Amino acid sequence: MTRVRCAIYTRKSSEEGLEQDFNSLDAQHEACAAYVASQASEGWQLLPVRYDDGGLSGGTLERPALKRLLADIGQGAIDIVVLYKIDRLTRSLLDFARLVEAFDAAGTSFVSVTQSFNTTTSMGRLTLNMLLSFAQFEREVTAERIRDKVAASKARGMWMGGAPPMGYRPKGRSLAIIEADAKIVATIYERYLALGNVRLVCEELAARAITTPRRRTAAGRAYGGRPFSHGHLYRILANPVYAGDIAHKGRVYPGNHRAIIERATWEAVQALLARNAKGRHRPHRAGNASVLAGRLVDEAGEPLVAAHTTKKGKRYRYYVSRRLQHGVRSADGNGMRIPAAEIEGLVAREIAQALADPLALADRAGLVVAPADLKALTAQCASEAAALHAGEPALVPELTARITTGERAVTIVLDTSALARRLGLPRTPAGPATLELIAHVRLTRTGRAVQLVEAGGAPAGAGEPDAALIRLVLRARRWWDELCKARLTPTELAAREGVTSSYLLRVVRLAFLSPKVLEAILEGTLCAGIDSTALTAPGAIEADWMRQERRLLVR
């Protein structure tokens, strides 16, 4: 008699009851073993190895016991697989087709002891496909019911499971606040409104050694304690859970849990995120808009018009006296040309500084602030200031009526009506129509070009490193390294680099700059007027570091 090797496969979807001495898997195995025993006359013999998958869904093939079963079938160790029901093997028609193909390739069939058919006959295959179709239909209907229940529960503000957001822990069908983590969330919102940039917030958190909270999964695996990533911060800032809401499928419902972030702060952050998102997708030329056009004048009241020039593919913007724009020279030659980035940055910073003290600004502008409006006003001012720091172009022309550039100061005239609309506050009947902000900067001239310089000698547009000067310093250090190692003479090196010996020697002197000067170059904080041309002029760099620093650094 031919020996037929039989293996029993059992599965249970949930873990409920598996801890019992005799559970569902044992019941299935006993029924299948009895069936194999009834076929002993046909040579059926039960293999001693058990293939049990407890607490695993039939909608996936990623099951340990099933994988062992398939591996043994592939090695030709099993002739018949015995099942209690076909859906114990799989509930997916596609997965079933794959399993049948694997069984056929190995010459293995399978039998269901409660459904009385096997895959060795065509009728058995037809019946099996029909049963699995109904099993898959039942699975899909069950999934739809679960989805509908989750949607209905979330619409009622319930928390329906999953990993809770940072700052919360599950509490039944709601969330409870973890105070220590909630403080970190509040700090993230506060710093984003102040800085207006996720990258800067990320850097500040890293500098303060603030990391993600340490947690443990239900299985006991530890995670967290790592620096915040940009993506993590964006998810925290955009998560409506922190404002006391529950989101589901693009809709937001009032939640049953306490909010960590106040509604006014939340809305200010969302507005700033939206503005920054638009800025990231702004067309290239949008950044070249001259936002002060029509508002910038000199002390004589003559308008400064927007102009630009392009050198080596880079666009340089200026505000130029109208007479110079039309090629007309005045008798005193006092026409000016101011770099656009400097004057625009100065105006934006002065307005942002005024917004940093909302009550003082409202008092000077004649705006009415009710006690109940104070929190919302503070959040709104912080949002507007962050937008100005981030370079939002629409705010400056909306809030300003006139900007006057003088030899010792720049006067910014704000439109109080526009300010009131922006902050959502009413004006007092006797309030002023305009409000002046004074920036104490002086104008330095090089020919017709004008640069704005703050007290101590720093350019008003400080903070942007000079990329050309940095490249020149790197070239100087490389050339000096080659000269020190006696690879080439200055004349030979100049010939190889395609420059004159005189130019090479002037550039090489940049290798002798003091560490403080080098640091200022990298940070963009050198004195006004100090660039690559100034530093390569004859006698520009002295050997004494202290003299270098007195001449080149802001005091």
Side-chain angles (χ1 to χ4, degrees), residues 115-356:
Q115 293 161 327
S116 300
F117 61 85
N118 60 61
T119 60
T120 60
T121 67
S122 58
M123 182 59 69
R125 289 177 182 272
L126 174 62
T127 307
L128 196 59
N129 280 327
M130 292 174 62
L131 285 173
L132 282 171
S133 295
F134 280 104
Q136 181 164 336
F137 171 74
E138 180 186 359
R139 179 166 169 262
E140 291 175 355
V141 169
T142 300
E144 289 177 359
R145 289 172 180 166
I146 293 173
R147 286 195 295 269
D148 291 344
K149 180 179 179 181
V150 169
S153 297
K154 287 195 171 185
R156 296 171 62 187
M158 296 182 182
W159 174 254
M160 294 304 294
M166 189 182 87
Y168 288 104
R169 59 177 175 81
K171 185 180 179 181
R173 288 301 180 189
S174 186
L175 294 169
I177 292 178
I178 303 173
E179 295 298 338
D181 298 350
K183 290 179 181 179
I184 298 177
V185 173
T187 298
I188 291 171
Y189 274 75
E190 175 190 343
R191 298 312 298 154
Y192 181 67
L193 282 178
L195 299 174
N197 185 293
V198 166
R199 177 182 60 81
L200 296 178
V201 175
C202 194
E203 292 174 356
E204 182 175 306
L205 293 176
R208 295 168 59 180
I210 298 177
T211 60
T212 58
R214 296 184 181 275
R215 294 183 177 183
R216 286 190 178 274
T217 64
R221 182 178 63 85
Y223 66 99
R226 296 178 176 273
F228 285 92
S229 66
H230 293 186
H232 192 182
L233 292 180
Y234 274 115
R235 289 192 295 273
I236 290 174
L237 292 169
N239 194 340
V241 167
Y242 295 117
D245 296 328
I246 293 289
H248 182 66
K249 301 291 185 181
R251 302 185 67 178
V252 178
Y253 306 97
N256 296 333
H257 60 281
R258 285 172 49 211
I260 292 177
I261 303 301
E262 294 184 359
R263 180 65 58 179
T265 302
W266 160 259
E267 292 177 351
V269 166
Q270 302 319 298
L272 183 54
L273 284 171
R275 283 199 294 265
N276 287 347
K278 291 178 182 178
R280 288 195 297 274
H281 296 90
R282 190 182 298 131
H284 173 70
R285 293 183 65 87
N288 294 329
S290 297
V291 297
L292 302 186
R295 289 170 171 78
L296 188 61
V297 299
D298 62 17
E299 286 183 307
E302 180 181 359
L304 275 67
V305 298
H308 74 272
T309 183
T310 303
K311 294 181 181 179
K312 296 182 180 180
K314 184 174 181 180
R315 183 183 176 96
Y316 296 89
R317 295 188 302 113
Y318 300 91
Y319 289 99
V320 183
S321 297
R322 180 175 290 174
R323 70 176 82 117
L324 297 181
Q325 178 76 354
H326 294 288
V328 179
R329 285 182 173 274
S330 63
D332 56 11
N334 281 337
M336 61 178 63
R337 185 176 68 170
I338 303 176
E342 290 187 12
I343 185 66
E344 290 169 359
L346 173 68
V347 172
R349 286 195 301 276
E350 289 296 322
I351 298 175
Q353 186 176 347
L355 288 167

Side-chain angles (χ1 to χ4, degrees), residues 15-64:
E15 296 181 354
E16 183 180 357
L18 292 180
E19 73 282 356
Q20 299 173 2
D21 292 337
F22 188 82
N23 55 46
S24 175
L25 298 179
D26 296 322
Q28 293 177 45
H29 191 275
E30 187 176 274
C32 292
Y35 184 86
V36 172
S38 71
Q39 302 297 315
S41 61
E42 301 294 330
W44 288 27
Q45 294 181 7
L46 181 61
L47 296 175
V49 181
R50 289 189 61 158
Y51 302 90
D52 301 327
D53 277 322
L56 295 171
S57 168
T60 176
L61 296 181
E62 295 299 319
R63 290 172 261 159

